[in-house]
Amino acid sequence: MQAYKRFNQNIAIWLYPITVYIFTYTWVNHEVFSILGILMMLDIISGVAKTVIVGTKPTSRRFVIGIISKILVLIIPMILWITAKGVLWIELKGFVNIVLSMLVLAESYSVLQNIISVRQRKEIEEYDAMTAVLNFILKEVKRFIEESFKR
């Protein structure tokens, strides 16, 4: 139990400055970023509800991995913003806001999947929308890099 308390404190210690930085110094759409955070919390809550109601075996390891994964997703807009600032010739502002919107859609999809599982009281076939979005981001960043060699 003590390990979980320390883990939660460490998350708060790291997440707070990241959030303040994003809201203060970037042109990331703050409203959409906040919506993404809310949807992530709803995904965690609905995922726990699904685990309890559907009867899948809950594990603390799976929960911790999920939390860490969500934190990593939250820093993606900041990574893209820093990249845009560091590589002055790449215009990423529109891309960052598109990515943010896609992350919101992926989280929404996950929450809806959890709600449907709870209502049907069974696991439904999952589609990992977040991984699809992350693969799209990776492919687009790779395209930016490859195009830069053509200049």
Side-chain angles (χ1 to χ4, degrees):
M1 190 63 168
Q2 194 63 272
Y4 288 114
K5 188 174 183 181
R6 272 195 316 256
F7 176 75
N8 290 337
Q9 290 169 343
N10 286 333
I11 287 176
I13 288 169
W14 284 98
L15 203 52
Y16 180 75
I18 289 171
T19 305
V20 168
Y21 182 81
I22 288 172
F23 284 155
T24 306
Y25 298 108
T26 71
W27 33 249
V28 170
N29 187 321
H30 302 142
E31 183 179 18
V32 177
F33 189 81
S34 297
I35 290 168
L36 178 61
I38 291 167
L39 285 169
M40 287 180 164
M41 287 186 280
L42 291 173
D43 189 38
I44 292 168
I45 293 166
S46 63
V48 169
K50 179 181 90 168
T51 300
V52 170
I53 292 172
V54 172
T56 54
K57 184 181 177 190
T59 64
S60 57
R61 177 175 162 71
R62 189 170 158 192
F63 182 75
V64 169
I65 289 171
I67 297 291
I68 291 170
S69 173
K70 293 200 180 301
I71 291 169
L72 292 174
V73 166
L74 275 176
I75 66 171
I76 289 171
M78 188 172 72
I79 291 168
L80 295 174
W81 180 82
I82 291 169
T83 302
K85 287 301 232 183
V87 185
L88 299 175
W89 52 265
I90 294 180
E91 175 53 51
L92 288 179
K93 185 174 183 176
F95 180 66
V96 172
N97 287 321
I98 289 169
V99 164
L100 204 48
S101 297
M102 292 174 73
L103 294 172
V104 166
L105 283 172
E107 279 301 318
S108 297
Y109 191 90
S110 181
V111 173
L112 292 171
Q113 279 183 319
N114 290 337
I115 292 170
I116 290 169
S117 284
V118 166
R119 290 196 43 84
Q120 294 180 354
R121 290 179 170 53
K122 66 178 183 176
E123 283 285 339
I124 61 168
E125 183 180 342
E126 286 201 26
Y127 170 69
D128 189 356
M130 187 57 73
T131 299
V133 169
L134 296 176
N135 284 329
F136 168 80
I137 295 166
L138 191 62
K139 184 179 81 175
E140 288 302 306
V141 170
K142 181 180 178 184
R143 186 176 63 79
F144 281 131
I145 292 169
E146 289 173 347
E147 286 180 5
S148 71
F149 289 122
K150 295 176 185 175
R151 294 180 184 209

